[in-house]
């Protein structure tokens, strides 16, 4: 969707700009339209996920992209992964009106973020299943690391995490 993120999380390849530089680039509207129309031609019912080493809410037309995806693939699940930094109640409403199925907000700063996003969710009128809060500030417990080293881009020494032996 974009080559930009407003954060440099230590577990993400973007933490090292030599590995994954921040680039002010966005998917072109014509490419997005082409992909959604082609998926629609196949009656796609899988997952369309706006995520991946960037912050999708930086894209000024994210709600329009979601609407296009929903129009072309009405039975697909459409989700966004976000750090929540650009999230507003109005944006939540626009995204879900456009056809978003779920938004997963990764909370990196601490438990104090929970009441803030819970209030936003309530004011926007969406459920916990629609706006999912992920407590990613628990890095000491390995949150977000799962069983992947992200294709070798995780610097386990910097993260102070021992790689899995099995």
């Amino acid at each position: 969707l974009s080559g930009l993120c407003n954060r440099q999380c230590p577990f993400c390849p973007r933490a090292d700009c030599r590995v994954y530089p921040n680039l002010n680039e966005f998917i072109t509207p014509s490419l997005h339209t082409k992909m959604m129309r082609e998926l629609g031609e196949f009656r796609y019912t899988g997952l369309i996920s706006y995520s991946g080493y960037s912050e999708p809410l930086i894209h000024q037309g994210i709600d329009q992209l979601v609407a296009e995806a929903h129009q072309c693939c009405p039975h697909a699940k459409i989700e966004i992964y976000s750090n929540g930094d650009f999230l507003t109640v109005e944006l939540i409403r626009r995204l879900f009106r456009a056809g978003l199925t779920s938004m997963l907000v990764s909370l990196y700063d601490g438990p104090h973020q929970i009441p803030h996003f819970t209030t936003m969710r309530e004011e926007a009128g969406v459920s916990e299943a629609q706006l999912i809060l992920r407590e990613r500030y628990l890095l000491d417990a390995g949150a977000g690391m799962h069983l992947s080293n992200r294709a070798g881009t995780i610097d386990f020494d910097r993260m102070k995490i021992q790689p899995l032996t099995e």
Side-chain angles (χ1 to χ4, degrees):
L1 181 63
S2 139
L4 288 174
C5 190
N6 61 305
R7 291 186 176 230
Q8 288 185 312
C9 300
F11 53 83
C12 180
R14 285 212 184 270
D16 185 346
C17 64
R18 295 167 299 166
V19 173
Y20 207 130
N22 233 6
L23 301 173
N24 191 14
E25 298 176 339
F26 295 89
I27 191 170
T28 63
S30 60
L31 178 57
H32 187 271
T33 297
K34 179 182 185 304
M35 291 188 320
M36 293 306 116
R37 285 185 179 160
E38 288 178 2
L39 288 171
E41 288 172 10
F42 290 103
R43 293 182 173 85
Y44 183 70
T45 60
L47 174 66
I48 298 170
S49 183
Y50 295 101
S51 69
Y53 307 135
S54 68
E55 174 48 51
L57 300 186
I58 289 177
H59 193 292
Q60 297 297 307
I62 185 69
D63 55 333
Q64 295 159 356
L65 298 179
V66 168
E68 181 174 57
H70 181 66
Q71 179 182 8
C72 292
C73 305
H75 301 292
K77 179 180 177 185
I78 304 170
E79 69 182 14
I80 292 175
Y81 284 78
S82 173
N83 60 37
D85 291 350
F86 300 99
L87 201 56
T88 65
V89 171
E90 180 53 34
L91 182 56
I92 295 168
R93 289 178 180 149
R94 284 197 331 259
L95 288 166
F96 282 98
R97 277 195 305 259
L100 188 67
T101 307
S102 59
M103 177 180 287
L104 295 90
V105 179
S106 297
L107 308 179
Y108 296 120
D109 299 336
H112 68 277
Q113 291 181 286
I114 295 172
H116 171 71
F117 287 105
T118 299
T119 299
M120 288 178 76
R121 179 173 55 209
E122 290 167 359
E123 289 179 15
V126 298
S127 72
E128 289 182 31
Q130 290 174 296
L131 186 69
I132 301 161
L133 304 181
R134 303 177 340 143
E135 298 175 27
R136 297 301 196 226
Y137 52 84
L138 302 171
L139 288 177
D140 289 340
M145 298 309 294
H146 304 293
L147 296 176
S148 171
N149 72 353
R150 299 196 180 209
T153 60
I154 297 295
D155 183 343
F156 285 107
D157 291 334
R158 185 169 43 95
M159 291 291 299
K160 297 182 176 72
I161 295 175
Q162 293 296 315
L164 297 176
T165 58
E166 294 182 22

